[in-house]
Amino acid sequence: TGRIKSSKFVTVGPDSYDDDVRQRRGGKRSPSTLSSQPRKKILKRSISYEEAMEAKELAEKRKELTLFKRPFATLYMFSGVLFDTVCMQPLRWAADPANLVVVVPAVVAVLCFVAAHSLQGAHSALLADLEHSFLYTLWWFGLGVASSIGLGTGAHTGTLFLFPHICAVVRTAETVHNLDFEHSHDMWSLPMPKLADSFQSTVPTPDAPIPSYWEMFSAVLFPIIVWGTGTALGELPPYLVSYSAAKAGKEDEEYQQLIGGISEEGDDGWDLVKRMERWMVDFLRHHGFWGVLLMASYPNALFDMCGLCCGHFMMPMGSFLLATTIGKGLMKAPMQGLLFVWIFKSSGRHEFLGLFRSLLSYFKWYFGAPLALALAAAAW
């Protein structure tokens, strides 16, 4: 009759990247470390045609729900979700009898801390040090999380906070010839741009030798590692979104757009970014944990793609978070710290400028001569 009956059913489930790869490789299945791991079974359910159309219509409405097109509705729904996530969900979790083993000791610890904080005694100095250490760690960890998430601005808190802090510690150590100063108390108000005057409570020892490179690096290693660990935690949102869609048997729109954008169809072979993205997806699919560890161990602007792919492949969250933490917190961030301590030292700064001048003098004939000819032609 040409009409689609309501009894027609549509099977909804996550599209597998394995099928796309097999089609491009002539139908052959290649061995995969990630796909060979035991994965949770996804129960695909059949829904009616009306339900499928309703889901499609809701998806189209969600695309229109933006801050520019419908600001009041967007802010209203965001406020409701934020209130439920921040206030109601923790209360529901705490009211669950299965969580009393965690809730009761936590409440007792908080009450003991409040009581100890309100009473003065010999323990006050120790309590103040513990509180300051906690806030100091929380500060750098939160900045690391904000650096990965970006808060919609893409602000890199390493450039804004961590690297100036390293510069302040190195310059102060070179000025006073020691590291006997507490650089965690004055870090929230660095006197930009005079970073060498950041920690005024130090006692200069001009006759002592300047601390070595490794002594300066060890002085700033703790905030570097904490900040790097925070950046690893900030990579969870893309992973969780893709993982939730795959577990629920839904189509992950972001992953499908990613795969569609890097497919080999219509690729002339000269698009380097597409080739790199395609190689990254294949590499993650084949190597799993070690692939994530490698991608996280260097400054990688495309690491959000790793989270999407690992979530779609249903890689365990513990494995993903562990590999990301090791790569970002124990490898990438310390290597960045090594570089910036060397640059901020007086001797390292002169060496860096000398190396930069050498590179400019080497490439001046490759860039300077064509530029001079172009300027001469334009003037003529």
Side-chain angles (χ1 to χ4, degrees), residues 6 27 36 38 65 81 105 116 146 157 167 196 198 200 206 221 241 298 327 357 369 376 378:
S6 61
S36 62
L65 193 64
V81 173
T157 56
C167 182
S198 299
Q200 297 294 334
L221 182 59
V241 170
Y298 66 94
R357 291 192 190 97

Side-chain angles (χ1 to χ4, degrees), residues 283-301:
F283 188 83
L284 287 171
R285 174 180 169 270
H286 281 79
H287 299 283
F289 176 89
W290 300 107
V292 177
L293 178 61
L294 177 63
M295 298 299 173
S297 61
Y298 66 94
N300 188 355

Side-chain angles (χ1 to χ4, degrees), residues 13 21 68 106 112 123 126 139 154 166 182 187 189 247 263 270 274 332 369:
V21 175
F68 293 100
C112 292
H123 64 281
L126 177 61
W139 167 260
I166 296 174
E182 182 57 52
M187 51 166 293
S189 57
K247 186 177 181 180
S263 61
W270 292 97
K274 281 188 176 182
K332 180 180 77 74

Side-chain angles (χ1 to χ4, degrees), residues 38-310:
R39 298 174 58 176
K40 297 180 180 179
K41 293 183 178 180
I42 305 174
L43 298 178
K44 297 183 180 181
R45 67 185 186 91
S46 297
I47 61 176
S48 64
Y49 178 76
E50 285 79 3
E51 291 176 339
M53 291 297 101
E54 183 180 1
K56 185 177 180 180
E57 183 180 355
L58 291 176
E60 295 296 332
K61 290 182 178 180
R62 284 194 296 270
K63 291 182 180 179
E64 297 295 326
L65 193 64
T66 62
L67 198 58
F68 293 100
K69 295 181 179 180
R70 301 180 59 187
F72 295 105
T74 303
L75 291 175
Y76 174 76
M77 294 183 180
F78 171 76
S79 301
V81 173
L82 182 65
F83 176 78
D84 182 74
T85 303
V86 176
C87 299
M88 301 308 298
Q89 286 190 8
L91 290 177
R92 288 194 293 267
W93 181 84
D96 190 354
N99 299 323
L100 291 179
V101 180
V102 179
V103 174
V104 173
V107 172
V108 172
V110 170
L111 293 177
C112 292
F113 176 79
V114 172
H117 199 275
S118 59
L119 298 176
Q120 299 296 326
H123 64 281
S124 299
L126 177 61
L127 190 63
D129 291 340
L130 291 176
E131 183 178 357
H132 174 75
S133 299
F134 174 76
L135 293 177
Y136 179 73
T137 305
L138 185 63
W139 167 260
W140 288 118
F141 186 80
L143 286 177
V145 175
S147 180
S148 293
I149 294 179
L151 300 179
T153 63
H156 194 281
T157 56
T159 305
L160 297 175
F161 295 96
L162 180 63
F163 304 153
H165 176 70
I166 296 174
C167 182
V169 173
V170 172
R171 297 292 302 277
T172 304
E174 288 185 332
T175 302
V176 301
H177 288 223
N178 62 66
L179 285 167
D180 298 332
F181 55 89
E182 182 57 52
H183 56 80
S184 64
H185 287 276
D186 301 328
M187 51 166 293
W188 286 278
S189 57
L190 295 180
M192 300 286 288
K194 296 182 179 180
L195 296 177
D197 301 330
S198 299
F199 309 107
Q200 297 294 334
S201 60
T202 58
V203 179
T205 55
D207 297 333
I210 297 177
S212 66
Y213 170 82
W214 293 107
E215 289 175 340
M216 294 181 184
F217 175 71
S218 62
V220 295
L221 182 59
F222 178 75
I224 289 174
I225 292 178
V226 174
W227 177 82
T229 305
T231 60
L233 186 66
E235 300 292 351
L236 276 180
Y239 166 84
L240 292 176
V241 170
S242 185
Y243 184 90
S244 301
K247 186 177 181 180
K250 298 180 180 179
E251 180 179 349
D252 189 354
E253 296 181 1
E254 294 187 5
Y255 179 80
Q256 296 302 326
Q257 291 177 0
L258 168 65
I259 297 302
I262 65 175
S263 61
E264 294 181 352
E265 298 180 0
D267 189 4
D268 54 3
W270 292 97
D271 195 335
L272 183 61
V273 176
K274 281 188 176 182
R275 295 179 64 182
M276 290 178 60
E277 292 176 344
R278 191 158 53 241
W279 172 83
M280 186 180 297
V281 174
D282 288 335
F283 188 83
L284 287 171
R285 174 180 169 270
H286 281 79
H287 299 283
F289 176 89
W290 300 107
V292 177
L293 178 61
L294 177 63
M295 298 299 173
S297 61
Y298 66 94
N300 188 355
L302 302 176
F303 194 80
D304 286 346
M305 182 190 303
C306 299
L308 286 175
C309 295
C310 293

